[in-house]
Amino acid sequence: MIRNVMWLVRLLYLPLFLLVGNGVAVYLVAEGFNAGWLGLLILVFIGISFATERLIPYDRAFNEPQQDQRRDVLHALMNESLNVIGIAVLPLIAGLLVLAPIWPSSWPLVFQLLLAILISDIGITLAHFASHRLRLLWRLHAVHHSVKRLYGFNGLMKHPLHQSIETVAGTTPLLIIGVPQNVLMLLVVAVVLQLLLQHSNVAYFTGPLKKILAINSVHRFHHLNTAKEGDVNFGLFTTLTDRFLGTAYFDSERTIGTKDLGIASEPNYPTNYWQQLMQPFQRNRR
């Protein structure tokens, strides 16, 4: 009986986040609910992520704190606050950025969200790729790669400046073509749900979807601790841009553990939140 329940949870975890999570968000926005309900939805799925990681973990060691719990909460609060502020000020700047108002506002909201995901995924992936090639960007992005374990909350652990760069790269094309504010609100929810999935320590079933979607079994290879192995799988939502760049990679025989994570050239990267914010600006960085 327990084994059957575990199997069912593994089977339904991915569609729960992709279909149910985003589906409920679309319903809330379409019906005019207060934006606070979207925040509550995110908190519910963070709770689901934590609980399921303990029920069916990919690696039990990833559930063990690495002096990172308080730090990761602070990163999440900072970065999600930036998202909220960005959505709030959008009406003030949207009119200045729209160059070709061709957004298909007549489409059903769910299809508008899918289009926004596909467009933003290209910009975010390219910014991510550049962050592994340009020294200044890597200094900011290294904060995210310093993690010594992979669990859902890691997806929200980024230097705020680097998150801002990825956000600009992903949303500017949308703003240029006149994306409405409600679609951007849904996109924020979709990004958070995807980051929870992508860094999840849940051993959920993926099947052939891992060839298209940038989910945890694919993204773990991106967190391998050397540039030789880790410069792969830059996509946030899909692997499509990675396939264009030639950086898509997956090895079904490889098991990734704590010893494989982090930054090999900087094994003593700071774990304190405030030190991580300042680390990219230290002159003695290699």
Side-chain angles (χ1 to χ4, degrees), residues 43 49 108 112 153 179 186 225 252:
L43 290 176
S49 175
Q112 292 187 55
F153 227 37
V179 65
L186 290 173
N225 56 18
S252 60

Side-chain angles (χ1 to χ4, degrees), residues 21-130:
N22 286 298
V24 171
V26 168
Y27 170 79
L28 292 173
V29 170
E31 294 299 315
F33 281 79
N34 185 283
W37 286 97
L38 294 178
L40 179 60
L41 178 67
I42 288 173
L43 290 176
V44 168
F45 274 84
I46 289 174
I48 292 172
S49 175
F50 272 104
T52 314
E53 284 174 334
R54 279 146 185 79
L55 183 65
I56 45 172
Y58 166 79
D59 186 336
R60 293 191 181 279
F62 287 170
N63 286 336
E64 299 299 322
Q66 301 282 341
Q67 300 179 332
D68 55 6
Q69 289 178 304
R70 179 176 178 273
R71 176 203 72 193
D72 289 354
V73 169
L74 290 173
H75 274 296
L77 290 174
M78 169 64 79
N79 292 330
E80 293 316 302
S81 296
L82 289 176
N83 283 332
V84 171
I85 293 171
I87 293 296
V89 302
L90 177 63
L92 302 177
I93 62 175
L96 302 175
L97 295 177
V98 177
L99 300 180
I102 58 174
W103 184 262
S105 299
S106 62
W107 288 10
L109 198 54
V110 65
F111 292 119
Q112 292 187 55
L113 173 59
L114 286 173
L115 180 61
I117 286 172
L118 291 174
I119 294 174
S120 65
D121 188 48
I122 296 172
I124 292 171
T125 302
L126 292 176
H128 192 178
F129 178 79

